[in-house]
Amino acid sequence: GAVVSQHPSRVICKSGTSVKIECRSLDFQATTMFWYRQFPKQSLMLMATSNEGSKATYEQGVEKDKFLINHASLTLSTLTVTSAHPEDSSFYICSAGTSGRTDTQYFGPGTRLTVL
Amino acid sequence: GQSLEQPSEVTAVEGAIVQINCTYQTSGFYGLSWYQQHDGGAPTFLSYNGLDGLEETGRFSSFLSRSDSYGYLLLQELQMKDSASYFCAVRDLDNFNKFYFGSGTKLNVKP
């Protein structure tokens, strides 16, 4: 159980275009999803917390107009990188958190974005 | 805020035991989690300590001491497939929806 999918797994786009990444919880309902960014050989940096039916909460330094997050249902959250630039190239990972003792997050497989 | 420090890289041989430490400075957290991430892949959950002490899950064990602001992941009977990056992480006590990850430790298992 607790499977999270992410699509696409890899995307290459031209500078100035927008890219949408989908994150789905396949076998459970996720009221909260998280979006992370990871540069090579570095740790995961939380970008924003996505709550179903409400606006996302962005971490300090993350531009909400550039990284649009929509959590339209209990199983789907999307991240749109608008007007992408080469410095936006990174590994983007979503996760769905759980409450309770284990305090676990279940991660999607990630999306490798390359902006040319 | 939260700050979690780990050694950047550890090397060990197959069959050995290795300990990956995580020292932290936090304003309060629910518990300490450990995740494994292979190159190009997503992190997967390994272990969680909500209370002080040792938690054992097969070949992996994790330990937490809140008084010492310290935790570790212990991997026994190392296998080549254990070569990966390992991250400690906490969930913020003041903001339930905020997770912080450690700097990560690259484990290299050699034959």
Side-chain angles (χ1 to χ4, degrees):
Chain A
V3 177
V4 177
S5 71
Q6 204 171 324
H7 178 80
S9 59
R10 189 180 294 270
V11 58
I12 300 173
C13 68
K14 292 182 178 180
S15 187
T17 61
S18 294
V19 175
K20 179 185 281 189
I21 303 170
E22 291 187 349
C23 178
R24 294 181 184 272
S25 57
L26 298 184
D27 51 1
F28 68 103
Q29 293 183 331
T31 54
T32 303
M33 288 185 174
F34 306 90
W35 287 96
Y36 292 86
R37 184 174 181 176
Q38 186 178 32
F39 291 104
K41 300 186 187 300
Q42 293 190 24
S43 188
L44 288 82
M45 299 299 296
L46 180 64
M47 298 175 65
T49 302
S50 164
N51 297 294
E52 186 266 338
S54 63
K55 291 183 179 180
T57 302
Y58 289 82
E59 294 300 299
Q60 191 172 10
V62 177
E63 299 176 60
K64 61 180 181 181
D65 294 330
K66 180 166 187 64
F67 298 100
L68 301 178
I69 291 173
N70 183 276
H71 196 149
S73 74
L74 288 172
T75 59
L76 173 64
S77 177
T78 61
L79 167 68
T80 302
V81 183
T82 62
S83 187
H85 291 282
E87 57 265 30
D88 298 326
S89 298
S90 189
F91 192 49
Y92 292 88
I93 313 174
C94 71
S95 76
T98 64
S99 58
R101 182 182 177 275
T102 58
D103 203 41
T104 306
Q105 285 191 79
Y106 296 96
F107 287 86
T111 297
R112 175 75 59 191
L113 171 63
T114 303
V115 185
L116 302 176
Chain B
Q2 316 282 11
S3 173
L4 298 91
E5 295 295 325
Q6 301 175 235
S8 59
E9 195 164 353
V10 173
T11 299
V13 296
E14 251 185 318
I17 299 173
V18 71
Q19 179 174 311
I20 299 174
N21 298 325
C22 174
T23 55
Y24 58 83
Q25 291 183 325
T26 74
S27 53
F29 62 95
Y30 284 95
L32 188 71
S33 300
W34 288 92
Y35 291 84
Q36 178 192 61
Q37 185 181 31
H38 287 96
D39 283 347
T44 56
F45 172 78
L46 289 178
S47 188
Y48 173 79
N49 292 79
L51 303 174
D52 283 6
L54 190 69
E55 289 284 341
E56 297 180 82
T57 310
R59 293 190 297 115
F60 298 163
S61 303
S62 59
F63 174 82
L64 174 63
S65 170
R66 290 178 186 263
S67 59
D68 295 322
S69 297
Y70 164 73
Y72 66 73
L73 178 69
L74 190 73
L75 297 88
Q76 304 182 71
E77 301 172 21
L78 280 177
Q79 301 175 10
M80 297 297 291
K81 67 178 182 179
D82 296 331
S83 292
S85 292
Y86 294 83
F87 296 90
C88 57
V90 297
R91 192 168 199 166
D92 195 279
L93 194 64
D94 294 329
N95 186 340
F96 192 66
N97 283 330
K98 189 166 285 191
F99 289 84
Y100 294 89
F101 280 78
S103 47
T105 300
K106 175 71 174 172
L107 172 63
N108 301 302
V109 180
K110 297 193 171 183

